């Protein structure tokens, strides 16, 4: 059984960070989420992956290649136009096994596949949807199920008091290849809005089971930030790179941190980072590798991707900065989200 990772969406809600890269390549605790995901699934026994690409496909292909570096095999299904979550699966059909797993590659989770696979084998249906419970289902499509787990319908954005459950589609599916016949080729098709309702209506057996563990959608800037704070406060089993000092502080190799700098947990510092005298980093700060932070700087609730330079006395709160940005001396930035288009080769 191979795994298809859907990674081709435009990621419009996470702009500008996704302006020049696919959303699943955005770093989560200093490592592209897609890399965490592949490594986590490899630990669960998955060896063969297909990645469905559209938006900046070369960013993913160049980073992972054939997967050898991570000890897995990766093939790619490239779309010429945006095909949507079901259209992307249809486009990858020739690369998929008779039974396969699909994951939205922008969901941050530490899922265990075995219970999901056991559930799939326990029923006669053609699709199992992993479900997750949310506090307030009014922004989602909520499932109504019978006692066996069969999904009867999706109720879109119900009022809290009218919701049949608090269980929503977690973006993780096990499918039999025969269901792909229900997806048209060459046009955009949404699995949530079109394919699942059709399959449920045709009574082919769409079942759902609740997945355990951490689950969060990194689709917006607020959620992207919150995922970091969740991971750094121990809410998930997703590994945090760097040497843990055991008190909510992680520091990578080769860092040069002034003795008078103050790290306020939770703080994650990447590799080869320089932090100047009297800087205060944290609480809630992620500093990517090869960043340089000048003396007297302050960073809180802020995420810096690799290679940023924060100059003397700058003060950043609630910010996200893309690769290689420079923040001027004594600049004060609150809630800034910045990215930079790469310089095009002449
Ligand atoms: P927004 O534009 O902010 O809604 O983001 P998105 O469309 O990238 O993400 P969405 O949550 O709608 O999609 C869920 C997952 O499916 C993400 O991992 C997307 O990368 C992926 N996805 C969405 N549309 C496509 C598509 O047309 N092709 C492929 N290959 N993947 C897709």
């Amino acid at each position: 059984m191979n795994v298809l990772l859907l990674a081709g969406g435009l990621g419009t809600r996470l702009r500008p960070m996704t302006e020049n890269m696919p959303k699943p390549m955005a770093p989560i605790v200093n490592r592209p989420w897609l890399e965490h995901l592949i490594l986590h699934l490899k630990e669960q026994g998955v060896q063969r992956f297909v990645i469905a690409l559209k938006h900046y496909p070369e960013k993913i292909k160049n980073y992972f290649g054939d997967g050898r570096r991570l000890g897995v095999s990766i093939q790619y299904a490239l779309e010429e136009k945006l095909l949507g979550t079901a259209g992307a699966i249809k486009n990858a059909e020739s690369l998929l096994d008779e039974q396969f797993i699909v994951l939205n590659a922008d969901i941050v989770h530490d899922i265990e596949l075995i219970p999901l696979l056991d559930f799939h084998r326990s029923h006669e249906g053609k699709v199992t949807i992993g479900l997750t419970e949310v506090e307030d289902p009014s922004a989602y499509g909520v499932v109504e199920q019978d006692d066996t787990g069969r999904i009867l319908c999706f109720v879109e954005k119900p009022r809290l008091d009218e919701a049949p459950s608090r269980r929503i589609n977690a973006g993780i599916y096990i499918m039999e290849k025969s269901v792909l016949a229900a997806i048209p080729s060459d046009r955009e098709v949404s699995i949530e809005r079109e394919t699942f309702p059709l399959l449920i209506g045709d009574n082919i057996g769409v079942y759902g089971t609740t997945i355990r563990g951490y689950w969060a959608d990194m689709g917006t800037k607020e959620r992207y930030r919150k995922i970091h704070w969740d991971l750094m406060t121990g809410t998930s089993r997703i590994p945090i790179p760097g040497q843990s000092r055991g008190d909510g502080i992680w520091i990578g190799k080769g860092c040069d941190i002034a003795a008078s700098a103050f790290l306020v947990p939770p703080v994650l510092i990447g590799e080869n980072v320089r932090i100047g005298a009297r800087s205060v980093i944290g609480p809630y700060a992620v500093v990517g590798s090869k960043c340089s932070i000048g003396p007297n700087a302050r960073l809180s609730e802020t995420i810096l991707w690799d290679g940023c330079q924060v100059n003397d006395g700058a003060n950043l709160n609630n910010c996200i900065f893309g690769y290689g940005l420079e923040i001027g001396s004594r600049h004060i930035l609150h809630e800034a989200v910045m990215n930079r288009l790469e310089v095009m080769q002449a």
Side-chain angles (χ1 to χ4, degrees):
M1 187 183 304
N2 57 358
V3 165
L4 174 65
L5 302 174
L6 300 180
L10 300 179
T12 51
R13 291 164 299 155
L14 195 57
R15 285 178 183 161
M17 308 318 288
T18 47
E19 211 77 64
N20 53 5
M21 69 178 337
K23 183 172 32 167
M25 287 303 279
I28 295 287
V29 291
N30 281 343
R31 177 180 287 163
W33 167 247
L34 196 52
E35 185 172 355
H36 281 287
L37 179 59
I38 291 171
L39 290 172
H40 178 72
L41 294 170
K42 181 186 164 195
E43 258 179 42
Q44 312 270 308
V46 179
Q47 277 297 322
R48 292 178 303 117
F49 294 84
V50 178
I51 308 183
L53 305 173
K54 169 66 185 85
H55 182 59
Y56 285 96
E58 70 284 359
K59 293 271 164 115
I60 291 181
K61 284 175 107 169
N62 292 346
Y63 191 86
F64 294 106
D66 62 6
R68 210 171 308 176
R69 185 176 60 84
L70 300 186
V72 297
S73 137
I74 302 178
Q75 292 177 290
Y76 298 96
L78 182 63
E79 290 144 51
E80 283 172 13
K81 59 179 185 195
L82 213 57
L83 291 175
T85 39
I89 304 175
K90 181 76 175 176
N91 184 60
E93 186 167 6
S94 64
L95 300 174
L96 297 172
D97 292 347
E98 280 310 306
Q99 194 180 63
F100 56 93
I101 301 173
V102 180
L103 291 107
N104 286 357
D106 64 339
I107 304 287
V108 175
H109 55 74
D110 51 10
I111 188 176
E112 284 180 36
L113 289 179
I114 299 292
L116 199 64
L117 291 166
D118 286 344
F119 177 78
H120 187 71
R121 290 190 193 110
S122 75
H123 65 70
E124 301 284 297
K126 304 277 188 226
V127 178
T128 292
I129 303 181
L131 305 171
T132 186
E133 288 205 2
V134 290
E135 287 292 315
D136 177 6
S138 58
Y140 298 95
V142 178
V143 295
E144 185 168 352
Q145 292 173 278
D146 71 12
D147 293 343
T148 67
R150 180 185 278 259
I151 297 180
L152 306 173
C153 63
F154 281 90
V155 182
E156 274 307 314
K157 302 192 170 71
R159 277 180 30 188
L160 193 51
D161 54 345
E162 288 173 353
S165 75
R166 291 195 291 116
R167 293 185 295 280
I168 64 162
N169 173 0
I172 299 166
Y173 322 117
I174 303 177
M175 292 183 151
E176 304 296 321
K177 207 168 184 179
S178 56
V179 302
L180 298 187
I183 305 174
S185 315
D186 294 334
R187 75 166 168 87
E188 196 169 340
V189 188
S190 155
I191 200 158
E192 304 87 350
R193 286 190 293 280
E194 194 171 334
T195 309
F196 286 151
L198 182 80
L199 296 175
I200 291 166
D202 286 350
N203 222 10
I204 66 108
V206 177
Y207 286 73
T209 184
T210 307
I211 58 165
R212 313 271 162 230
Y214 187 76
W215 183 94
D217 160 8
M218 64 189 261
T220 66
K221 292 169 272 284
E222 294 69 30
R223 290 191 210 144
Y224 176 74
R225 252 193 307 255
K226 181 172 183 298
I227 287 169
H228 284 82
W229 317 149
D230 285 348
L231 268 50
M232 290 161 69
T233 48
T235 332
S236 95
R237 292 177 299 136
I238 295 157
I240 298 185
Q243 179 83 39
S244 168
R245 290 200 346 201
D247 50 1
I249 297 176
W250 291 263
I251 300 179
K253 285 182 282 187
C255 291
D256 176 7
I257 301 175
S260 58
F262 195 37
L263 304 183
V264 187
V267 177
L268 167 61
I269 311 285
E271 295 185 358
N272 302 310
V273 171
R274 294 173 45 161
I275 299 181
R278 297 171 302 282
S279 288
V280 182
I281 313 298
Y284 300 101
V286 175
V287 178
S289 292
K290 296 187 189 143
C291 285
S292 170
I293 300 186
N296 305 306
R298 296 183 80 97
L299 250 76
S300 56
E301 297 178 60
T302 287
I303 299 166
L304 304 181
W305 293 5
D306 292 357
C308 288
Q309 183 174 335
V310 178
N311 287 326
D312 184 2
N315 185 328
L316 312 182
N317 172 252
N318 223 333
C319 296
I320 307 173
F321 287 103
Y323 293 120
L325 292 175
E326 180 174 354
I327 293 96
S329 179
R330 300 175 70 80
H331 281 43
I332 302 174
L333 293 166
H334 282 220
E335 297 177 11
V337 179
M338 263 171 75
N339 200 2
R340 183 173 67 176
L341 289 173
E342 276 144 59
V343 180
M344 303 296 286
Q345 298 269 318

